[in-house]
Amino acid sequence: MGTITGLHGTHGVAFDTAGKFGYISDGGGNAVVIFDRATLATVATIAAGTNPDAIIFEPATQTVWAFNGRSKDVTVIDAASQKVVATIPLPGKPEFAVVDGKGTVFNNIEDKNEIVRLDAKPKQLTATWPLTDCESPSGLALDVAGSRLFPVCDGKKMGVVDSNTGKVLATPAIGEGPDAAGWSAKHKLASPPAEERESSLWSMPALPAIHHREPAHSGQRPHHGL
């Protein structure tokens, strides 16, 4: 147990696959703070865009992706050199991000009702998909094996999106005010916790069927492994 100090408004934390470093999106500091996971000592502070929010580690390229809410771009950091290797413009304000582990990154564009797909190897945006009937997407989860994305939206809805084509397959009902999403590969359940303290669990054989709803703690965000 310990404390990492000197931050100015933390949003997210990502971890490398080697178990050595963690990466904090310090929104108020417009930076990514790298820390040693064993000692919690700060190793480096790397300038990002304006207000980095979502942050994720991409294992195929060993890069860190910090999505900047106000500058509407993503800062890509090489984990080995701890240097910025790309800044990719986005079509709007980014929210949650997920990776498939093979070099593809997905991100919600909250103010445009879209999902973008990025290729981590050339560090390029490769697709922009509109989210029909899914307003202001925030949280995002991914079923890699089933090729399904789960953006959670305003209006008590969750999208079910084909991650290969971007086609919206369904928009099942969830609780009010979602701000995160999780996917359990073991149980094949999507979980979008909501502000109204209710978390919906959706089973995914092909298209969604509601499994059950359970109380959620205020402000709860799921671990992606569930």
Side-chain angles (χ1 to χ4, degrees), residues 155-168:
K156 297 186 175 184
K157 291 182 179 179
M158 177 180 73
V160 181
V161 179
D162 187 313
S163 63
N164 295 313
T165 66
K167 181 180 180 180
V168 178

Side-chain angles (χ1 to χ4, degrees), residues 11-12 16 30 53 61 86-87 100 153 165 168 171 186 200 213:
H11 288 288
D16 67 5
N30 298 325
D53 187 3
T61 57
T87 300
D100 69 355
C153 303
T165 66
V168 178
T171 51
K186 178 180 179 180
S200 305
R213 300 188 179 211

Side-chain angles (χ1 to χ4, degrees), residues 53-55 67 93-97 107-110 137-139 179 221:
D53 187 3
I55 188 166
F67 290 83
K93 180 181 180 294
E95 257 287 345
F96 270 59
N107 180 258
N108 282 334
I109 303 298
E110 186 178 28
S138 53
D179 191 34
R221 292 188 175 192

